[in-house]
Amino acid sequence: MGASTGKRSSVERPAPLRRALLRWYDSAARDLPWRRTSDPYRIWVSEVMLQQTRVAVVIDKFQRFVGRFPSLESLAAAPEDDVLAVWSGLGYYSRARALHRAAQQLARQQRSFPTDYEEALQLPGVGKYTAAAVVSIAYGTPRAAVDGNVIRVVSRLRRLQLPDSRGRPHAAIADDLLDRSRPGDWNQAMMELGATVCTPRDPDCPHCPIRAHCAAHLTGVVELHPPAKRRRSIEKVRLTMIVQRDRRGRVLLERGVFRFLPDMWLPLVAAAQEAEPGEDDAVEITHAITHRSFRVRVVRRGATKPARPVIGAGGERRWFTEKALAAIPRSSLLDKALAVA
């Protein structure tokens, strides 16, 4: 069977579909901390955190972040290192830096997150999805927020292929379906459906509130929509990290050296060469960052042996006590290395 052209399907009737989805969302929506507020700042923070990160991971990080930076002004006034330290564990640290810069820009202008969608797009790190999500949820502005979950739901409703580079035709269909009387709830309902029912694999069609409107379900081809993306090849990287401690128990860390995590404090990074036989204790760990897979040889070194030179330029080194480690920008790679050394 051929794919839909994107025109309105005979099985899809927007008014009944909207009622069915919003009724389901009102009764089945997960109780998440950012859904208990209308504060645009907190909604904005949650949307940035949720990009490419599972809800279960974000919940505690969100509460910690807004506990430390309860307002846009407090975030803007904080040093970047403090922001990155509180963000630690979420990954994709460019998100935190952009959020911080945007908060500083708004604070200088003595403004909150813009109510206007186009104006929101001018902020650092704010793209079409984030702008639409925040203005619709916080202000009730009728803008469809289109993320991966929404693309999947729309693809199945209309039996579409993947969207093009501009998001067409999925974005236009999402806007056509949008409930303009409850745009924030509608956007969250679409995302909630994609995250919990209309999942990439093994979708729970029997419990889908809009299955009667879904062309892919009615024709038995749900698993074919959207078609699987071509997977990006995994780059494999080998390296050695030296965990060096002094007699006081402090650990020597560096940053600005490991190009994949330039803002994070890490053990001393060396090339993947083998250590001299018997000179160090070593354990191998693995780590993944987006499409890269790392095999890291972690070498434990005592205070009597000098640290190896920094590989590359622009790095800095400092000794950290156990207590000080809790207040620095850190990747889970550092936690893994310290755990075995």
Side-chain angles (χ1 to χ4, degrees), residues 198-251:
C198 194
T199 51
R201 289 174 293 277
D202 300 320
D204 188 10
C205 293
H207 292 98
C208 177
I210 58 173
R211 64 186 180 278
H213 307 274
C214 179
H217 170 66
L218 294 174
T219 54
V221 293
V222 171
E223 298 285 3
L224 301 181
H225 296 278
K229 287 184 179 180
R230 193 175 191 179
R231 287 194 174 186
R232 186 172 179 176
S233 59
I234 301 297
E235 178 186 355
K236 296 182 179 180
V237 181
R238 292 184 62 89
L239 66 146
T240 296
M241 287 185 166
I242 299 98
V243 176
Q244 182 162 1
R245 289 186 171 88
D246 65 10
R247 292 183 177 87
R248 295 165 55 188
R250 298 180 304 172
V251 64

Side-chain angles (χ1 to χ4, degrees), residues 2-233:
S4 166
T5 62
K7 294 181 180 180
R8 185 167 296 173
S9 165
S10 60
V11 299
E12 176 225 304
R13 301 182 302 278
L17 185 155
R18 291 183 191 121
R19 287 195 296 269
L21 183 61
L22 287 172
R23 190 182 308 118
W24 169 82
Y25 179 74
D26 288 340
S27 63
R30 290 170 292 181
D31 181 21
L32 302 173
W34 47 88
R35 289 180 176 165
R36 304 172 199 152
T37 180
S38 58
D39 179 4
Y41 166 69
R42 294 186 179 220
I43 293 167
W44 176 26
V45 169
S46 73
E47 290 298 341
V48 175
M49 287 187 168
L50 287 164
Q51 294 168 22
Q52 299 177 293
T53 308
R54 292 180 297 110
V55 168
V57 174
V58 170
I59 292 174
D60 288 342
K61 298 295 183 181
F62 171 81
Q63 292 175 320
R64 181 186 177 201
F65 193 91
V66 297
R68 174 65 178 81
F69 310 115
S71 66
L72 184 152
E73 292 76 16
S74 62
L75 175 61
E80 183 179 276
D81 269 6
D82 288 0
V83 176
L84 293 176
V86 180
W87 192 273
S88 293
L90 277 170
Y92 302 97
Y93 292 92
S94 60
R95 295 180 299 173
R97 292 194 298 273
L99 177 66
H100 188 218
R101 290 198 307 273
Q104 291 176 322
Q105 179 177 318
L106 291 171
R108 285 194 299 270
Q109 299 168 349
Q110 297 184 319
R111 302 178 57 206
S112 60
F113 193 92
T115 59
D116 180 74
Y117 169 80
E118 297 294 342
E119 198 174 336
L121 288 175
Q122 305 308 309
L123 293 172
V126 175
K128 292 180 179 179
Y129 165 76
T130 302
V134 178
V135 300
S136 66
I137 297 169
Y139 304 123
T141 303
R143 279 280 178 173
V146 183
D147 71 347
N149 287 313
V150 174
I151 286 173
R152 184 166 58 257
V153 171
V154 169
S155 293
R156 289 170 176 170
L157 279 171
R158 293 286 186 86
R159 290 187 56 205
L160 297 174
Q161 300 300 308
L162 290 170
D164 64 18
S165 60
R166 295 186 180 181
R168 299 175 300 192
H170 298 63
I173 295 171
D175 183 68
D176 183 49
L177 294 173
L178 179 69
D179 188 304
R180 282 164 167 73
S181 65
R182 295 177 60 186
D185 288 341
W186 175 263
N187 282 329
Q188 292 182 91
M190 288 283 280
M191 291 184 279
E192 185 84 350
L193 186 72
T196 63
V197 176
C198 194
T199 51
R201 289 174 293 277
D202 300 320
D204 188 10
C205 293
H207 292 98
C208 177
I210 58 173
R211 64 186 180 278
H213 307 274
C214 179
H217 170 66
L218 294 174
T219 54
V221 293
V222 171
E223 298 285 3
L224 301 181
H225 296 278
K229 287 184 179 180
R230 193 175 191 179
R231 287 194 174 186
R232 186 172 179 176
S233 59

